Amino acid sequence: MVYVGTRAIRTLNRTYRKKDAPTDVLSFPVGRRGPDGRFALGDIVVSVPIAARQAKERGHALGREIEILILHGFLHLAGFGHGAGPSSEERSLRRLLFGEHA
């Protein structure tokens, strides 16, 4: 987990996704075992300023928004992509972890 500002996430988004705009979360898959033998999925990078803005817009706490973004990044590391809105996997996990019904 890495927490960054708007400028840093914009730079990462431009460098790795060729999108010259800030975003809320990025994930970078590794998918191999580390020196300790543990399997590493990869890194998740969250923009705290964007998460704060989204939390305010959505009417919940910053901590909740960061949890949602981490879950989203984790699902990408697990191989799930974007569809037309939240995936059924993401909705199911949000219900289980956060008690959400959306």
Side-chain angles (χ1 to χ4, degrees):
M1 287 300 313
V2 180
Y3 299 101
V4 299
T6 305
R7 184 182 304 174
I9 205 146
R10 180 179 181 174
T11 299
L12 290 168
N13 205 22
R14 181 177 54 241
T15 301
Y16 294 100
R17 297 182 65 227
K18 307 299 183 224
K19 296 186 178 188
D20 190 15
T23 189
D24 51 5
V25 63
L26 292 169
S27 56
F28 297 95
V30 174
R32 64 175 184 260
R33 293 198 183 275
D36 61 358
R38 297 167 92 183
F39 191 78
L41 286 176
D43 297 316
I44 298 172
V45 182
V46 173
S47 169
V48 175
I50 294 175
R53 185 189 75 229
Q54 290 177 174
K56 185 176 180 181
E57 291 169 356
R58 296 172 179 160
H60 53 240
L62 173 59
R64 169 60 63 92
E65 185 67 18
I66 288 174
E67 290 172 340
I68 291 167
L69 294 174
I70 290 169
L71 172 61
H72 186 86
F74 171 78
L75 287 169
H76 280 295
L77 292 177
F80 296 98
H82 285 135
S87 68
S88 61
E89 293 86 3
E90 185 169 355
R91 285 191 305 274
S92 296
L93 283 171
R94 286 174 69 166
R95 274 193 300 275
L96 176 68
L97 297 173
F98 308 131
E100 294 183 3
H101 300 288

